[in-house]
Amino acid sequence: MSETGTEPPSSARRFPDPTQSGNIQYNPTLKELRSLARDDERTTEYGSPAYVSEYRSRCADRTANAVDHDFEERDWALVRTGLDAVSDREMLCVDRLVGRHPDATFCCRLYVPIEYARIALTWAKLFEPSDGREPDFETVQVPDHDETAIRILPDEGTTVVLGSDYTGEAKKSFLRLFMYRTKQAGGLGLHAGSKRLTVRDGGQSDDDLRTVGQLFLGLSATGKSTLTSHGCWLTEPESATMLQDDVCALLPDGSVAGSEGQGLYIKTIGLTASEQPALYEAATAESAVLENVAVDEDGTVDFHDDSYTSNGRAVIQRDELESAADEIDLETVDQIFFITRNPLMPPVAKLEGPQAAVAFMLGESIETSAGDPSRAGESIRVVGTNPFIVGSDGREGNRFYDLVRDLDVDCYVMNTGYVGAESMDVGVEESVTILTEIARGAVEWTHDERLGMTIPSDVPGIDVEEFYVPDHVSDFEDAIASLREERRAYLAEFPELREEIVDAVY
């Protein structure tokens, strides 16, 4: 069997049976995992554990998968190194379930050396315990390997993480494959949060309520978690309920399968009780796990101190969030929001026809410390705002277009940054008000020729005219023409993307 093509070597097909291996502790409890990680822990003022890792973000530039990359002998050697570690070292093995949907539930098995119990603990608190089924996906993480490399065999469900002790590598190893498998089944994995709103139809009568399912696509640190978990200041009979924070799967019947059933892996830098009360309360609960967050010797937590990293994290429990539903799946999606930080975009615009697929392909945002800390703040484009796509990006865009068209989903682009000058900040209050009034159907829309987009003419509670982009950008016509040209050139890089999508650049 060749070891230089897409066919994996036989040694990549099987991990040892953890129940029959004397060097493996199989499914220890959370209490046992915390005890094993005691030497690495600094206990916070809230009684929760805090850990500091050597790696503090994902190593995207050292990640390759056997679908999109031609694996050579060196790649297979890295895979074997990870597999050998499972047999040769004292290991922890933890099983968890990703998803609950009958068509999108997978058993995930993580192996880490016992001295890195903190990784197993942090990861295990995100997902629900397995029901004893055989694993669909298996990851081994060996942080102390002398080379940093992540190698993925998507069709075998195998991931090897070498040389990184960042918990996010373990988390995304499974969510990446969750998205890949649901795509194979006719759906589409999305780097998105989901929520359900029950609101007055038109914002008028309590006797006429409507239920709206919303998705939020955005890169880390652009407001996805904030918007997804926000209660929208609604009171009975209206309500806002969070279902998922990070990764979902849009299925052909219009339902959205969630992935994380127990916890959320949130960014903590700048977290405040006033701006993000629900997330703050959960992050300061005893049940949380803090990672690379500044904690003094006496346990005092400082979410504003970025001395470790601006990508500090907390695993928080869903049951600590008042806005979190018991369920994680959305019955029907009605509205999809693409979160951007492009200053030439209005606070919100409604996307018409293939424009939704354009927004999906552009994935315009800013680089954050969660991706590439050295480029944090730079303007970037990431297809689907999803750095974890396996397979053709162009086909991903075509699949998205087909699904939202067939399901008749309304799509919007939402700017959570600045409009033009930095003085025009689109804050949490404006963004939450906008998404709430859109859910109510209370926003009035108009097509704007200068922007080439459909924008609000009236949003209850906001003077939306204050945020009109051309009023805040000098030489606006030149700037928007240049942006459109850049967008066309970018979309031309995807030969499999349909022409009707390329032609719909706004």
Side-chain angles (χ1 to χ4, degrees), residues 188-446:
L188 190 65
L190 299 172
H191 184 216
S194 62
K195 72 189 305 178
R196 181 176 58 236
L197 281 78
T198 300
V199 292
R200 297 182 182 92
D201 193 359
Q204 302 299 318
S205 171
D206 287 355
D207 297 327
D208 196 5
L209 297 175
R210 63 193 296 191
T211 298
V212 178
Q214 295 180 334
L215 293 182
F216 301 91
L217 279 71
L219 292 178
S220 298
T222 56
K224 177 164 58 70
S225 294
T226 298
L227 295 179
T228 302
S229 65
H230 205 288
C232 300
W233 304 293
L234 297 176
T235 58
E236 291 291 343
E238 295 185 302
S239 63
T241 305
M242 184 204 76
L243 298 171
Q244 281 290 277
D245 169 65
D246 193 29
V247 167
C248 307
L250 176 58
L251 303 180
D253 64 358
S255 63
V256 181
S259 59
E260 296 170 289
Q262 187 158 310
L264 290 72
Y265 191 54
I266 66 167
K267 281 193 62 127
T268 57
I269 192 69
L271 190 64
T272 64
S274 58
E275 290 257 328
Q276 302 112 327
L279 296 179
Y280 183 87
E281 185 174 352
T284 54
E286 185 177 0
S287 59
V289 177
L290 304 189
E291 184 178 53
N292 301 321
V293 174
V295 180
D296 291 341
E297 289 187 10
D298 65 358
T300 302
V301 176
D302 187 350
F303 290 129
H304 297 277
D305 185 340
D306 62 356
S307 54
Y308 287 128
T309 175
S310 58
N311 190 37
R313 294 280 177 165
V315 170
I316 61 176
Q317 299 302 281
R318 290 176 59 89
D319 58 15
E320 299 284 357
L321 287 170
E322 185 177 349
S323 65
D326 292 333
E327 67 272 23
I328 65 173
D329 299 328
L330 181 63
E331 287 189 3
T332 304
V333 60
D334 302 289
Q335 299 167 349
I336 294 177
F337 295 84
F338 295 94
I339 301 174
T340 186
R341 291 288 175 91
N342 189 326
L344 289 177
M345 290 294 98
V348 70
K350 188 174 185 180
L351 301 168
E352 307 291 349
Q355 283 185 339
V358 172
F360 179 88
M361 291 300 300
L362 291 175
E364 289 180 339
S365 190
I366 57 169
E367 183 60 88
T368 71
S369 53
D372 185 348
S374 67
R375 297 179 56 206
E378 293 183 16
S379 297
I380 59 170
R381 293 187 173 108
V382 179
V383 173
T385 64
N386 182 2
F388 314 103
I389 292 172
V390 176
S392 163
D393 288 339
R395 290 180 181 176
E396 198 96 355
N398 295 339
R399 173 72 60 85
F400 176 82
Y401 179 45
D402 289 342
L403 284 169
V404 297
R405 180 195 58 200
D406 294 347
L407 296 169
D408 196 25
V409 178
D410 291 330
C411 295
Y412 307 84
V413 60
M414 174 175 278
N415 181 1
T416 59
Y418 296 99
V419 171
E422 291 194 1
S423 60
M424 292 305 299
D425 181 17
V426 185
V428 173
E429 182 175 353
E430 287 83 9
S431 294
V432 170
T433 299
I434 286 169
L435 69 89
T436 304
E437 297 304 331
I438 287 176
R440 287 172 172 157
V443 175
E444 296 180 10
W445 301 92
T446 184

Side-chain angles (χ1 to χ4, degrees), residues 54-284:
E54 180 181 357
Y55 279 74
R56 293 162 193 172
S57 63
R58 288 178 285 100
C59 297
D61 59 336
R62 302 182 189 183
T63 301
N65 71 74
V67 169
D68 298 312
H69 306 90
D70 292 328
F71 273 26
E72 299 180 350
E73 170 55 31
R74 176 180 173 276
D75 299 289
W76 295 122
L78 291 169
V79 172
R80 288 193 294 270
T81 295
L83 296 172
D84 290 345
V86 178
S87 300
D88 297 342
R89 298 183 60 168
E90 293 295 313
M91 304 291 285
L92 297 169
C93 175
V94 181
D95 286 355
R96 287 294 186 266
L97 291 179
V98 170
R100 294 183 194 164
H101 194 284
D103 296 329
T105 299
F106 303 92
C107 179
C108 299
R109 178 169 289 173
L110 174 67
Y111 295 89
V112 296
I114 194 169
E115 55 266 40
Y116 292 94
R118 60 178 168 81
I119 297 174
L121 171 66
T122 308
W123 175 80
K125 296 198 77 167
L126 289 168
F127 304 100
E128 294 169 301
S130 174
D131 53 8
R133 70 181 73 183
E134 287 298 304
D136 299 286
F137 310 138
E138 293 178 287
T139 293
V140 56
Q141 186 163 358
V142 187
D144 53 6
H145 187 64
D146 58 7
E147 179 183 358
T148 301
I150 296 90
R151 293 296 180 266
I152 307 139
L153 306 179
D155 293 318
E156 288 70 40
T158 299
T159 302
V160 170
V161 179
L162 302 176
S164 171
D165 62 343
Y166 181 55
T167 303
E169 295 288 9
K171 168 185 159 75
K172 287 303 184 185
S173 74
F174 297 110
L175 295 183
R176 179 188 289 113
L177 295 180
F178 167 85
M179 290 189 281
Y180 178 65
R181 291 290 175 86
T182 53
K183 181 168 62 174
Q184 288 181 314
L188 190 65
L190 299 172
H191 184 216
S194 62
K195 72 189 305 178
R196 181 176 58 236
L197 281 78
T198 300
V199 292
R200 297 182 182 92
D201 193 359
Q204 302 299 318
S205 171
D206 287 355
D207 297 327
D208 196 5
L209 297 175
R210 63 193 296 191
T211 298
V212 178
Q214 295 180 334
L215 293 182
F216 301 91
L217 279 71
L219 292 178
S220 298
T222 56
K224 177 164 58 70
S225 294
T226 298
L227 295 179
T228 302
S229 65
H230 205 288
C232 300
W233 304 293
L234 297 176
T235 58
E236 291 291 343
E238 295 185 302
S239 63
T241 305
M242 184 204 76
L243 298 171
Q244 281 290 277
D245 169 65
D246 193 29
V247 167
C248 307
L250 176 58
L251 303 180
D253 64 358
S255 63
V256 181
S259 59
E260 296 170 289
Q262 187 158 310
L264 290 72
Y265 191 54
I266 66 167
K267 281 193 62 127
T268 57
I269 192 69
L271 190 64
T272 64
S274 58
E275 290 257 328
Q276 302 112 327
L279 296 179
Y280 183 87
E281 185 174 352
T284 54

